[in-house]
Structure formats: C-alpha cells, structure tokens
Amino acid sequence: MQEYPNYQDIVLVGGGHAHAIALRMWAMNPLPGARLTLISPQMQTAYSGMLPGLVAGHYRTDEIHIDLARLCRAAGARFVQASALHIDLHQRSISLADRPELEFDLLSLDVGATPARDIPGSELAIPVKPVGDFHRHWQQLREQMRDSGAPLKLGVVGGGAGGCELAMAVAHALKNRAEVHLVHNSDRLPEQYPPLARRLVAREMDRLGIRVHRNWPVAEITGGGLRSEDSRTLALDRVLLCTQASAPPWLADSGLALDERGFVLVDEKLRAQGRANIFAVGDVASFAEQPLPKAGVYAVRQGPVLFHNLRAALMRKPLKDFRPQRHFLSLLSCGGKRAVAVRNGLAVAGGGLWRWKNHIDRAFMRRFSELSLVMAMEPRRPREIIGERSGIALEKMRCSGCGAKVGAEVLNRALEKLPPQQSPYLRRGAGDDAAVMDLPHGKLLVQSSDQLRALVSDPWLFGRLAALHALSDLFAMHAQPVAAQALVTLPLATAELARRDLQQLLDGAALELNRHHCALSGGHTAEGAELQLGLTVNGIASPDQLLEKTGARPGDCLVLSKPLGVGTLFAAEGLGKVRSRWLQEALQTMLQSNASAAEVFSRHSARALTDITGFGLLGHLLEMLGLDHAGGGTSPLGATLIAENLPLLSGAAHCAEQGWLSSLQPQNAVAYGSVENPGEWGALPHWALLTDPQTCGGLLAAIPAAQAEGCVRALQLAGCERAAIVGVINTAGGRPIRLARKVDWQQLAAQSETG
C-alpha cells in the first residue's frame, strides 16, 4: 500500500555516472512524495573507466555495464527507454522519440557527449562516444576480421588519454592481426599529461607495436584512410574517432545557456545558469568560471552533490557546492594488464598498477550490482517528507466509491491530448454516458476483458502492453477489434501528477488500439494503491470467419508463434536478478501484435486457435483438447509436445533453473498431472516453462500437417521469427499430454492421423 502520495516529478535524462550514483543513493534514502523517472535510450550504461579493458578482452560486457532498469527498481524510480529530442522550458516537458512528451518539476541532464563532426568525412569513422554504440561497432569490426581472415590497418584519431588507452587496447586485442596507428595533431601525447607520463605511455605503445603519428592534424577522413592539412595521406581500412566530443545537438534550441561547444553552462550548485529547477552533470555540464576536462572522475564526484541538491531543491533547503578536485590520481590502461599511474606530475608504470585499477573499478561496479533490492523496498522511517514544509499543500483524506474517481478536469486534460479515435461502427463514444455501436448486418459481436497490474514502471509502455494483451483474445478468435473501454486505477498523487500518468497510460493504449482500427470509446478512472489498466474490447466477425480453441484433429501440428518465458523473466526482474538485455528482448516480443499471426493461421486452415496467457502453454493446450486448464474432463484427443522445438526467450531457462518463477506458477502446476511421462522432462528448463504464465504471449494453433511448414515460414516472414512446430495432436491414451525430447514431427503427425 502506498503510504504517501506523489507530489513532485524529478526527471533524470541520461544514464551517465552521476545519475547512476544519485539513483543508488536514492535507493538507500528515498524522499517520500518525490517521484523519480530516468529516461535513457539504453537499459544499460557502460562505465567508461573499464571500456579499454572490455576492448582488450579483460572484461565481459556485463561486467562493465550498470543495469539502469534494475537500478531504477531498487530506487523506486520509473525507467523510460527513449531518446530525448527537445526541452520545452515553458511547459516543463521533454519531447521524446516515438512517444509522447514527459513533464517534469525538477530536471537533471546527464546525457554525455556525442562525437564531434567537425572533421570532414567523420561519418565514415567509428566514434568512441556514445560508448554503447562504439561497443556495437567494435563487435561488428571483430566479426568482419574473423570472416575475412585478412589483417586490417586501423587508425585511432585523438591523442588524449582516451585515444591512447583505446589504441593500446585495440593493439593488445588484435595482436598480429591488425596494424594500429595513433594519429594526433600535436607532439604531446597523451595531451595534458606531464612529460614523464608521456614517456612511459610512449614506451608502452612501442612495446605493442603501435605506429604513432605526431603533429598530424587530420583534414579529412576518406574511404581509404586519412588526409592531413598539409596533404599527407595515411592508408587505413577503418578509423576510430576519439577526438574532442560535442554536446548533443538537440540542446541547441533548448533555451538553456550554453558554452561555445553547446554544453550546458552550470553554476557551482550544478544548476543550469538562470534555472532553479534544471541541473546538468557529467560531460554535458560546463563550468563557466573554471572549465573542467570531460573526465569520468568529475561525473562520479558530482553524483552525491546532485543527490543532495535535488532533495534540497524540493525541500527548499540550502544547496551544496560542487568543488572539483585540483589533483587526482589518474590510472591509464596500457592494453595488456599494465597501467600508468599519474599524480602531481609524477608517473610510474607496471602490472601491479593495473591490478590496483582493476580492484578500484570492480569495487565501483559492485556498488551497483550488489545494491540490495530488499533494502530499497524495506519500510524505513523517512527522514523528510515533501508536503506542507516545502510549500506544497497536502490534500484531504481520499474518499472511496465514486469519490475515488479522478477529477473531471484531470480527466479532460488527459483526454484532450490523445490521438483521434475513429471507428465506422461507433455511433457514440467517449463523452456520452455510454458508448453506442452499430453492428453490420450478419456480423457477430465478440467481446473480452482483461486487467493487468503494471508490470513495467513506464505508464506509456504499460498502456501498450495492456492493450495488446486484451486485444489478443479477439485475434485468437480471428475477430476484428472495433471498440474498447478502459478501467484505470491510478496511484495516489496530486491532481497534476495523476493527469500526467493518465495521459501517458491512455496514449500508450490508444497507440495500439488505433493500429488495429479499434476506438477507445470510454471507461472509468479511480484512485488506488498501484497503477492498473483493464480493457473490455469489442470485435466483430462473420460466423464463418471465427476460429475457436477447440476443433483440432489427430495428425494436426501445433504451431506456436512466440517464445515462452515472460513470467519467469518478470519474476526475476521483480527480484532484481534479470539482465537488461533479456528483459529488452522479452518486451520487444511482447509488443508484437498477434493480429498478423492470426491472419497467417487463418490462411493456413487452422482448425483451432488460442492465445497463451495466464495458464501457460500446458493449461491452454489442455483447453484446446477440450479439457479444463487443469486437465479435468474427458476428451478423445491428446497431444505430444517436442522439447527441442519449444522456443524460449533469452534468459528464461536460466531464470527457471534458479527458481525465479511467477507467483501464478504454483496454481498452474496442477496441469502437470495431465502429463504421461513427466520424468523425461524433469531435468529440463522447459518443464517449468510449460506452465509459465505469459503476458502478451503468442498464439497456439492446430494446423493440418501438410500446411504446417508453410505456415511457420509465413509466420517468420510476418515478423514472428521464433515461430515453430512444437507438437502434434493425437488420440488420447492414458493421460492427455505426452512429452518427447526429440522426435520427427512429420512422422509423428502421420502416425497420429492414422492412429
């Protein structure tokens, strides 16, 4: 139960180091009444200090990335995966790519830097920033080298510490398979390092065989390499760009005060100049009076100051100054497990220094990987509460019944920004007391309802998922959606925050409904403990087009359109155990509509069709056989499922093996009693996933064997890339379900048909 309503929205844009540290501190000491939202285009953010080690092969990808979605869950923050496009200072909103804008009360920017495009032809190079994009390009380059087998000539442009580290990491990783060149426009390399450190780094690069080109200002990057300002050329196969980065271009028209390179000018409190409610940290921040290098060490130290100042700004208390270190220890990686340490003009190199750096870096990452979700969710007595003390009037005790409705002004303001809702069958929709539909002659009304608790923190994304989940029942009957009504429960918040949530939620739902020509014709709103969305969906169909879940015949093949594992992955996510790349794949699969799969199944003479949702594959298959989801009843039909053919989402097998199962799993497990030979599957992860409940799961169809392969190919062309023949319908023997680990489905179908 939510103890305190939400009063203020703090929006963090970008998943940089400072924001990650502020979120971690918030997890340990939240401020009730303040709601955090993190916006980032990626679910993971790389720790820049370990990137050279990743390139060199010393670390795995997961070891150098902070899982932002998991961190947000621990902090009780919402995670929105999107790219920022524009700031509207007057409306206090952030425009995002391919989704509605998000409003804020306090805003913080930690969006890093983008590659500078001041060198002609720079679009031909691989930029080091943003780090996430660079790693993808680096993996592609490695694959290209493996495929070709020929050595490459690689050039790194930029002689700062980052460029030197990258060149040495590449040289170590590729050893004799590539010729590495480091190109710099001055004689000092690394730039801004003392002479002794430069000599030590030069010695390390010479040991790795790196060819250094000093005083070589690049005038142009070409398809064949580099051209200097004095017309010299350097032939290269690929160029890696590690020069001075630029600010994200969308800041240019933000109205914020910017420096000459487009970075946000901030004061000593980390506030944007002249803006009491906007902060900027990390590479995107520029200190007018004392410019700082774009170094991760400053971003890390800004995190605690930002955490304090965000809270202080809401509580109207004094803010802290950020005081950058004048001197700090710099540990520069040298490709292999060696490093150069620099402080106060002194420098030393050696393997022990790399081990020291490795210890420091891994300790930093453990602060996030070992952050206890239980600690973050334990009830703790808050030190401070936003409310009357911050000048925000607390609302009166909430009512129940009709008094719990969201106010008319909140509702109207949310609805007025939704996209137009149109349907040729809707005579009266939202705005009247009830919706009125006109059914075409000879058509049947097909109706279904579904309600979900928010399984993601982003209300817009949740709205999309809830709509697709509800529509799936209509697609499973091959009906055309025409109208939907929503039942919304919003968590306690001020009227303004409730309006923001409702608008995001309904916008997401309307997006998917509109894609299927289904109008949002009305609904009801209420306040409650948590965000929920229920949808009653109405569709139409002619009697001869309807498909039902029963009607399969012996010899039919069972075709599944989507992989399994949603339930176990979200159970692991709730425990803070899931990897972001697993969750991202699951969400992409869930956002795939079942409408196209239903059409494919219809064209391939499906005799029975159902969607895989709460009862899991086994429970819904039993219903397809004419039994209840626990296997009760009698039926002449049975089925054989083929283990090796069952498609699973990435990470689902691991989560199931760890016992991270959905809370609905024990109730679904009653269906195991219908399995004739459970011992053959007991040791396989597929066993637990047979009863894994699926949100936005796929469709299961019984298809004549002669059309099964063509059906799967058509599904894959329609976007269901993991579609597969997962079993065969046969006549009932003892218990209705038999499991096979490996079998020829064509032979099994022929035997079942003649059976």
Side-chain angles (χ1 to χ4, degrees):
M1 182 72 178
Q2 185 172 332
E3 189 175 357
Y4 303 99
N6 288 321
Y7 292 97
Q8 296 275 272
D9 267 327
I10 304 175
V11 176
L12 311 178
V13 182
H17 300 350
H19 277 177
I21 289 171
L23 280 166
R24 181 183 181 275
M25 297 180 71
W26 197 280
M28 295 185 289
N29 188 16
L31 179 61
R35 181 171 67 180
L36 257 66
T37 300
L38 175 67
I39 301 171
S40 172
Q42 292 92 25
M43 283 189 173
Q44 293 181 311
T45 185
Y47 175 43
S48 59
M50 298 175 78
L51 177 65
L54 176 68
V55 172
H58 306 318
Y59 303 121
R60 300 189 308 273
T61 303
D62 289 341
E63 291 178 310
I64 79 153
H65 281 83
I66 298 170
D67 192 316
L68 296 175
R70 183 188 300 175
L71 181 59
C72 284
R73 172 173 279 278
R78 302 189 304 180
F79 178 75
V80 172
Q81 188 172 10
S83 297
L85 298 178
H86 176 66
I87 301 174
D88 188 323
L89 298 178
H90 177 68
Q91 297 293 332
R92 293 190 304 180
S93 65
I94 297 286
S95 296
L96 305 173
D98 302 320
R99 56 169 294 149
E101 63 189 14
L102 207 64
E103 297 174 67
F104 62 85
D105 297 300
L106 281 184
L107 178 70
S108 179
L109 302 173
D110 191 6
V111 293
T114 60
R117 297 296 186 185
D118 52 349
I119 301 176
S122 57
E123 68 277 2
L124 301 173
I126 299 175
V128 174
K129 290 190 176 183
V131 171
D133 290 344
F134 169 75
H135 182 238
R136 185 177 66 253
H137 290 304
W138 170 246
Q139 289 176 312
Q140 293 170 351
L141 183 60
R142 295 289 300 267
E143 291 173 6
Q144 176 187 339
M145 291 184 64
R146 281 194 294 267
D147 292 341
S148 67
L152 294 180
K153 294 178 67 175
L154 303 178
V156 177
V157 177
C164 292
E165 284 189 305
L166 179 62
M168 288 187 282
V170 170
H172 174 79
L174 302 181
K175 294 186 170 55
N176 298 323
R177 292 177 292 158
E179 183 180 290
V180 180
H181 297 254
L182 178 61
V183 180
H184 189 43
N185 60 4
S186 81
D187 188 54
R188 296 185 176 186
L189 194 147
E191 194 71 60
Q192 298 179 337
Y193 271 61
L196 178 57
R198 295 202 299 268
R199 288 197 297 271
L200 291 175
V201 171
R203 186 185 304 165
E204 295 293 329
M205 287 194 288
D206 184 64
R207 183 176 58 83
L208 290 165
I210 298 171
R211 305 188 183 189
V212 179
H213 304 265
R214 304 174 190 272
N215 299 312
W216 215 99
V218 176
E220 182 183 12
I221 300 173
T222 69
L226 302 174
R227 184 178 61 81
S228 72
E229 292 180 357
D230 56 4
S231 299
R232 287 175 290 171
T233 60
L234 178 61
L236 297 169
D237 295 303
R238 294 303 301 268
V239 175
L240 311 180
L241 201 57
C242 202
T243 54
Q244 193 173 51
S246 299
W250 57 268
L251 288 172
D253 60 351
S254 64
L256 296 172
L258 308 176
D259 68 9
E260 68 280 359
R261 292 165 54 203
F263 294 105
V264 179
L265 289 169
V266 298
D267 62 17
E268 67 279 0
K269 316 289 187 188
L270 303 177
R271 295 174 301 194
Q273 284 190 1
R275 304 289 175 179
N277 67 331
I278 298 179
F279 295 78
V281 288
D283 284 356
V284 80
S286 175
F287 294 84
E289 296 185 5
Q290 186 181 359
L292 296 175
K294 303 299 182 185
V297 65
Y298 296 118
V300 169
R301 295 186 179 275
Q302 287 166 8
V305 178
L306 176 67
F307 167 74
H308 175 274
N309 287 353
L310 289 173
R311 295 167 61 94
L314 290 180
M315 300 298 298
R316 300 186 180 178
K317 292 186 175 182
L319 276 62
K320 287 183 178 180
D321 289 349
F322 169 66
R323 301 186 185 280
Q325 281 182 288
R326 295 183 61 188
H327 303 288
F328 59 87
L329 175 68
S330 175
L331 288 166
L332 191 145
S333 299
C334 297
K337 294 185 177 181
R338 293 176 58 82
V340 171
V342 185
R343 185 180 175 92
N344 296 332
L346 301 177
V348 63
L353 294 170
W354 187 90
R355 290 190 292 273
W356 186 19
K357 173 176 168 53
N358 176 59
H359 172 76
I360 293 172
D361 289 341
R362 288 188 181 274
F364 176 79
M365 293 300 294
R366 279 196 298 272
R367 295 165 66 184
F368 301 97
S369 62
E370 297 177 1
L371 180 63
S372 172
L373 182 64
V374 175
M375 174 196 68
M377 297 182 71
E378 282 178 350
R380 298 188 298 282
R381 185 172 182 83
R383 298 179 184 175
E384 300 165 301
I385 303 171
I386 294 179
E388 292 173 338
R389 278 174 285 176
S390 62
I392 301 170
L394 296 173
E395 297 188 357
K396 295 180 180 179
M397 181 68 69
R398 285 334 207 247
C399 301
S400 297
C402 285
K405 285 185 66 172
V406 172
E409 182 182 359
V410 170
L411 181 61
N412 291 334
R413 287 180 63 197
L415 293 176
E416 68 185 10
K417 288 193 174 183
L418 291 184
Q421 306 290 307
Q422 296 181 351
S423 170
Y425 309 106
L426 194 65
R427 289 194 175 186
R428 297 284 189 277
D432 218 321
D433 288 330
V436 180
M437 290 177 56
D438 185 8
L439 290 181
H441 178 70
K443 297 288 187 179
L444 301 175
L445 176 66
V446 185
Q447 192 175 67
S448 180
S449 292
D450 260 302
Q451 184 168 356
L452 295 177
R453 300 167 61 193
L455 70 166
V456 292
S457 59
D458 176 356
W460 180 77
L461 180 58
F462 172 52
R464 294 182 64 190
L465 294 170
L468 288 169
H469 187 74
L471 289 170
S472 185
D473 282 333
L474 298 186
F475 300 141
M477 298 199 71
H478 198 217
Q480 168 60 50
V482 293
Q485 297 229 326
L487 292 176
V488 179
T489 302
L490 295 173
L492 299 182
T494 60
E496 180 63 18
L497 265 66
R499 192 267 307 166
R500 294 173 185 174
D501 282 354
L502 183 59
Q503 183 180 322
Q504 293 281 323
L505 181 73
L506 294 183
D507 197 295
L511 173 66
E512 298 299 340
L513 294 174
N514 280 353
R515 284 177 174 171
H516 297 93
H517 310 290
C518 181
L520 182 59
S521 61
H524 184 83
T525 58
E527 292 180 330
E530 60 182 356
L531 184 64
Q532 297 187 42
L533 176 58
L535 287 161
T536 296
V537 290
N538 299 292
I540 58 173
S542 57
D544 58 351
Q545 89 176 68
L546 280 176
L547 288 169
E548 299 181 2
K549 66 175 59 177
T550 56
R553 301 177 188 175
D556 286 350
C557 290
L558 293 167
V559 179
L560 181 63
S561 65
K562 288 185 182 181
L564 305 173
V566 171
T568 187
L569 286 169
F570 274 90
E573 193 271 340
L575 296 170
K577 301 291 187 181
V578 77
R579 295 179 182 175
S580 285
R581 67 174 185 272
W582 297 345
L583 188 60
Q584 191 159 17
E585 180 190 323
L587 288 170
Q588 288 171 349
T589 301
M590 294 164 70
L591 287 171
Q592 185 176 33
S593 169
N594 282 329
S596 57
E599 288 298 322
V600 171
F601 284 134
S602 176
R603 293 199 308 268
H604 288 81
S605 307
R607 294 195 175 108
L609 184 63
T610 188
D611 59 339
I612 307 302
T613 52
F615 298 145
L617 175 65
L618 198 54
H620 289 287
L621 174 57
L622 288 167
E623 291 183 328
M624 185 179 279
L625 299 178
L627 306 169
D628 64 29
H629 66 271
T634 59
S635 171
L637 296 178
T640 298
L641 289 175
I642 307 169
E644 67 170 10
N645 288 16
L646 282 174
L648 305 180
L649 288 166
S650 297
H654 173 79
C655 294
E657 288 171 343
Q658 297 298 316
W660 302 328
L661 301 175
S662 167
S663 57
L664 189 56
Q665 189 92 12
Q667 298 179 57
N668 287 350
V670 68
Y672 287 132
S674 302
V675 178
E676 180 180 320
N677 56 334
E680 296 185 31
W681 274 29
L684 298 178
H686 306 71
W687 176 250
L689 296 177
L690 289 176
T691 54
D692 187 55
Q694 307 297 290
T695 302
C696 298
L699 298 181
L700 179 68
I703 302 291
Q707 299 202 46
E709 286 188 321
C711 179
V712 169
R713 286 194 297 269
L715 285 169
Q716 292 170 345
L717 289 173
C720 302
E721 298 177 355
R722 303 288 302 282
I725 299 168
V726 299
V728 172
I729 299 292
N730 48 42
T731 54
R735 295 181 182 179
I737 306 295
R738 179 170 180 79
L739 306 176
R741 296 186 63 166
K742 188 174 183 179
V743 69
D744 184 336
W745 66 265
Q746 292 174 316
Q747 182 179 357
L748 183 61
Q751 291 172 349
S752 300
E753 188 173 9
T754 58

